[in-house]
Amino acid sequence: MQNQYFSQEGLEKLKSELKHRLNMLRPEIAKRIKEAKELGDISESAEFAEAKEAQALNEGRIEEIKTVLENAVLIGDSSGGVIAVGSSVTVGSKDGERTFVIVGAAVSNPVSGYISNESPLGSAFLGHQKGDAVKVKTPKGVAEYKILEVK
């Protein structure tokens, strides 16, 4: 698995979810399974089946989070005005001005302006700086952006 990029806030949110799943959900689900077993015949118990399914989903998510955290890279401010993961970039195009934050794929939300470093737009901006013109191949053709500001 390749690196996943996170802000400090995003990383803390993921760690918090893992802690919740390990310390709250896991024991709660184990209790539900135990109670369902105590009711008798588990082969026809809907409660048992639901609890086992919840357990499988929870354990799967725990493993997924652990894998992501093993490959997590903390992002910070861009150094020297060069666009990197974590940079806030204001660009101008024929459609007007827009600000994007370059983030890892795990936390991207293009509608809100958080674009992945792996997306065509995000990867095209990487390594550029204020004043550069960047051409990006899009489904609608080639779009040209002028980098107005990098934070």
Side-chain angles (χ1 to χ4, degrees):
M1 178 178 220
Q2 66 186 115
N3 290 341
Q4 300 272 336
Y5 295 91
F6 291 91
S7 64
Q8 185 65 46
E9 179 184 336
L11 195 57
E12 292 304 319
K13 185 177 176 183
L14 198 60
K15 287 178 180 178
S16 178
E17 180 185 351
L18 178 61
K19 184 177 177 182
H20 174 75
R21 287 182 176 280
L22 289 170
N23 300 327
M24 302 292 286
L25 287 180
R26 185 182 267 173
E28 179 184 302
I29 293 169
K31 181 181 175 190
R32 286 175 45 203
I33 290 171
K34 182 179 183 241
E35 289 172 354
K37 282 182 179 179
E38 290 171 355
L39 293 175
D41 185 10
I42 61 172
S43 65
E44 295 182 20
S45 172
E47 291 87 2
F48 181 76
E50 288 174 10
K52 288 299 281 184
E53 183 177 343
Q55 181 184 43
L57 291 172
N58 189 53
E59 294 302 317
R61 181 66 179 145
I62 287 170
E63 289 308 310
E64 180 182 339
I65 292 171
K66 285 180 177 180
T67 300
V68 169
L69 289 174
E70 287 172 3
N71 296 288
V73 175
L74 188 62
I75 56 176
D77 296 329
S78 59
S79 60
V82 176
I83 298 171
V85 176
S87 297
S88 175
V89 183
T90 302
V91 297
S93 71
K94 63 179 178 134
D95 297 325
E97 276 188 26
R98 181 118 192 247
T99 300
F100 298 103
V101 178
I102 312 295
V103 296
V107 293
S108 68
N109 184 346
V111 173
S112 299
Y114 292 87
I115 59 173
S116 166
N117 63 310
E118 299 171 13
S119 70
L121 192 57
S123 64
F125 290 154
L126 294 176
H128 289 279
Q129 53 193 344
K130 182 177 179 177
D132 288 354
V134 178
K135 291 183 180 181
V136 182
K137 196 174 189 179
T138 70
K140 295 180 181 177
V142 176
E144 190 167 330
Y145 296 89
K146 173 92 171 175
I147 299 171
L148 305 174
E149 189 175 353
V150 179
K151 292 184 189 173

